[in-house]
Amino acid sequence: MPTPTTAYRPTQLPAWQQLAALAKRGVAPIAELYRQQPNRPEQLRVRCGELLLDYGKNRIDAEVLTALLALAEQSPLAEQRRRLFAGEPINTTEQRAVLHTALRAAAGDPVDPAIAAEVAAQLAAVERVSGQLRSGEWRGDSGKPITDMVNIGIGGSDLGPKMVCAALAEYCQPGLSLHFVSNVDGAEILELLKRLDPETTVIAVASKTFTTQETLLNANTARAWYRDRLGLAEPQRSRHFLALTANPAEAIRYGIPAEQVLEFAEWVGGRYSLWSAIGLSIAVAIGFDQFKALLAGAREMDQHFYSAPLAANMPVLMALVGLWESNFQESASYAVIPYCERLGLLPAYLQQLDMESNGKSCQLDGTAVDYRTGPVLWGQTGTNSQHAFFQLLHQGSQTVPVDFIAAINDPLSNAEHHQVLLRNMLAQSAALMSGQPAPAGQPHRYYPGNRPSNTLLLDQLTPHNLGALIALYEHKVFVQGVLWNINSFDQWGVELGKKMANQLLAGEGGSDPATAALSAELAARRR
Ligand code: F6P
């Protein structure tokens, strides 16, 4: 088995070449595959706990599936997975381990004892602070209990907690409202602060690096609000400020008291950080016990990913099916459509997870790839999206594979609504697969069909199942990154834009004539 060095070139693997040959040969239409293979519905499905993945509605026959599994076997996947869980520095450009799995490990799991102790201490701080905020023991400077918490962060320090809090609204404590501010657009924070009472609000400055421009500017604005409204000279030193960070020194330098700095480790990637102190807002919203249930669900998926055979491994199968679509079927994007309004932020969360992880063109040895890597991910909830972009999914000139996601049971809905919701989802995936010939003289009513989809069913949207769902996508993205021979854990692509923004802020008009001209326009028309 090759190790992830210069020796590994995915396109040179026999299985890759076989897949290319199979793509050229062509695969029968999906609907036809179901006719040829009566047990396909049972065969092309896999379970993990209360999650079921049905991947039968994909353009894969038995030969393609065998070749995809052979690709995983021939790739360094097994070794890289071992290295991931063992905490080896697989983030090679930053020489870091990638140990989000350790954040949800249980006693007895094979985690380095020093790391397990560090995680336990950090989780204990989340438990303590979230408990004090929820019980009313944590008081503002004027002695009032807290009614509102504002998480100021961006990217991974925002998207995960915000998505989970929205998804688990059912579990949230009444009387304690969570708010999320991410954009440097001042209208976001200024409008929010107008609605809040500083005496009963706490600000959590969430930033792994504690150097992010947007987050620090928003934190400064919140600090000024406390100065103006409460007359505090240094609000950041009060009980109204918390820091969630892997850079405690910088948070303390900012003025936040050490005991109000909740730490996590450098080896927690930003987009994998909701399981760490960055998840404080989740623990505040749903309680620490439910936060632990979220972690336990993710651990269940970790264990499945680590030990299930490739042919019955949910993240591996999802990754392989996605790779087949990207690299052998010319699909450039895929859509995630949750049939659950509370999962409305899932596509945005997954955009960072997938596109910041695998939007890369540089192999581990620095060589440029000559094959497609991370696809564009987009989506919105169903049924809303049916009345927006499903037209393109059914009749557009490009194929967009879809992940349909639904909870079989929803105690917040009722039987009538929920049946309509779920039947709509099934109808969409069936219509995408089967298509329909055009009636005579009406070519505009032609549905080509053979459009692939996965269906992911959760028994119910519980913290446990949500944890498993998120971990499923984390591992899927990891598997694809390994197969494509890229580093899924850095994000150098975002650096250049940050640097140029700073240059522009420093008064440099722009290094190119187009930017200089637009800068001049902004300056001329500013009121
Ligand atoms: O700019 C990208 C990024 O580094 C993300 O990877 C990260 O989640 C986000 O910025 C926020 O970073 P931080 O948590 O350090 O403020």
Side-chain angles (χ1 to χ4, degrees):
M1 179 187 301
T3 49
T5 62
T6 48
Y8 175 55
R9 286 285 179 268
T11 51
Q12 288 170 13
L13 295 180
W16 187 285
Q17 285 156 24
Q18 196 192 348
L19 286 163
L22 289 168
K24 209 167 162 194
R25 180 210 66 184
V27 176
I30 305 166
E32 176 58 27
L33 293 173
Y34 275 98
R35 281 189 283 275
Q36 291 172 3
Q37 208 183 340
N39 55 0
R40 187 174 174 92
E42 294 77 45
Q43 277 190 337
L44 274 67
R45 60 168 51 180
V46 58
R47 289 175 199 275
C48 172
E50 295 188 351
L51 263 62
L52 170 97
L53 166 68
D54 179 333
Y55 60 102
K57 291 198 191 92
N58 279 290
R59 302 186 278 191
I60 49 173
D61 59 19
E63 275 183 277
V64 171
L65 186 55
T66 304
L68 285 169
L69 290 166
L71 183 76
E73 286 284 359
Q74 291 165 18
S75 78
L77 176 59
E79 171 62 1
Q80 286 294 77
R81 182 178 57 183
R82 184 199 65 72
R83 299 183 71 212
L84 169 82
F85 281 86
E88 293 185 21
I90 59 170
N91 175 355
T92 45
T93 60
E94 297 172 311
Q95 278 309 309
R96 276 187 201 147
V98 182
L99 263 176
H100 44 278
T101 52
L103 297 171
R104 53 237 190 174
D109 287 355
V111 174
D112 179 311
I115 286 183
E118 183 185 357
V119 169
Q122 291 165 358
L123 266 182
V126 172
E127 180 174 19
R128 173 177 52 82
V129 173
S130 62
Q132 290 174 348
L133 283 163
R134 284 169 66 85
S135 68
E137 185 188 336
W138 188 289
R139 305 257 159 176
D141 268 28
S142 58
K144 294 188 180 167
I146 299 302
T147 56
D148 295 87
M149 174 171 163
V150 183
N151 185 88
I152 295 182
I154 198 163
S157 299
D158 168 70
L159 290 164
K162 186 164 62 183
M163 181 272 288
V164 172
C165 288
L168 300 178
E170 180 189 352
Y171 296 82
C172 291
Q173 174 166 307
L176 190 52
S177 302
L178 267 298
H179 312 271
F180 292 86
V181 170
S182 52
N183 203 317
V184 75
D185 176 353
E188 189 186 14
I189 187 163
L190 294 172
E191 285 303 305
L192 171 67
L193 294 180
K194 277 183 202 163
R195 305 198 304 270
L196 298 180
D197 175 356
E199 288 187 75
T200 59
T201 298
V202 83
I203 304 286
V205 185
S207 176
K208 177 176 174 181
T209 56
F210 223 83
T211 58
T212 302
Q213 180 192 54
E214 293 94 326
T215 299
L216 290 179
L217 181 50
N218 280 325
N220 291 345
T221 297
R223 191 173 57 176
W225 177 67
Y226 280 101
R227 276 198 198 115
D228 292 351
R229 296 282 303 273
L230 297 186
L232 299 176
E234 291 189 291
Q236 70 276 23
R237 298 190 190 283
S238 75
R239 295 287 278 171
H240 294 278
F241 269 75
L242 288 158
L244 319 175
T245 187
N247 188 357
E250 197 54 35
I252 290 167
R253 210 183 61 75
Y254 187 81
I256 299 179
E259 62 280 9
Q260 288 167 217
V261 177
L262 276 69
E263 222 180 303
F264 59 100
E266 272 290 342
W267 44 252
V268 180
R271 50 194 175 274
Y272 302 87
S273 63
L274 71 89
W275 322 100
S276 72
I278 290 289
L280 178 72
S281 50
I282 302 172
V284 169
I286 66 175
F288 190 72
D289 285 347
Q290 297 294 1
F291 183 64
K292 278 203 306 193
L294 182 84
L295 300 183
R299 174 177 175 268
E300 183 174 51
M301 186 57 71
D302 293 342
Q303 292 190 313
H304 168 86
F305 173 53
Y306 196 76
S307 54
L310 297 182
N313 194 308
M314 201 181 280
V316 171
L317 288 164
M318 266 183 94
L320 291 173
V321 166
L323 180 139
W324 169 250
E325 280 299 326
S326 283
N327 295 104
F328 299 98
Q329 300 290 313
E330 306 294 326
S331 295
S333 79
Y334 77 106
V336 175
I337 315 291
Y339 275 69
C340 173
E341 201 50 32
R342 307 201 289 292
L343 287 176
L345 297 175
L346 184 67
Y349 167 79
L350 293 178
Q351 276 178 333
Q352 188 200 16
L353 177 63
D354 200 329
M355 292 160 76
E356 196 169 48
S357 296
N358 286 344
K360 319 256 162 88
S361 311
C362 178
Q363 297 188 68
L364 293 181
D365 66 352
T367 313
V369 297
D370 55 0
Y371 43 87
R372 205 196 290 271
T373 55
V376 173
L377 186 161
W378 53 290
Q380 199 205 112
T381 54
T383 58
N384 297 7
S385 47
Q386 291 175 199
H387 300 271
F389 54 75
F390 266 60
Q391 165 64 42
L392 182 146
L393 299 186
H394 287 288
Q395 290 188 316
S397 55
Q398 54 187 299
T399 299
V400 181
V402 178
D403 285 355
F404 291 100
I405 303 174
I408 298 169
N409 302 292
D410 189 351
L412 297 198
S413 186
N414 64 26
E416 185 184 5
H417 278 271
H418 207 55
Q419 284 315 306
V420 173
L421 182 76
L422 297 186
R423 300 296 162 196
N424 264 284
M425 181 185 77
L426 292 189
Q428 291 301 325
S429 68
L432 285 167
M433 172 179 73
S434 305
Q436 192 172 282
Q442 297 185 46
H444 52 279
R445 293 181 65 185
Y446 171 57
Y447 294 80
N450 204 30
R451 305 210 158 184
S453 65
N454 290 312
T455 303
L456 264 166
L457 297 177
L458 283 62
D459 187 68
Q460 193 178 317
L461 184 58
T462 59
H464 185 99
N465 290 342
L466 181 63
L469 178 70
I470 299 167
L472 165 64
Y473 277 95
E474 286 180 348
H475 294 316
K476 175 211 158 175
V477 165
F478 167 76
V479 172
Q480 291 189 330
V482 172
L483 293 170
W484 287 322
N485 200 28
I486 55 179
N487 178 2
S488 299
F489 299 108
D490 60 11
Q491 54 282 322
W492 295 102
V494 299
E495 294 304 319
L496 179 60
K498 287 184 193 172
K499 189 173 125 196
M500 287 192 169
N502 284 331
Q503 286 167 345
L504 289 169
L505 280 166
E508 297 165 30
S511 56
D512 62 87
T515 308
L518 283 170
S519 274
E521 179 75 11
L522 295 180
R525 291 176 54 184
R526 195 169 63 206
R527 288 192 291 276

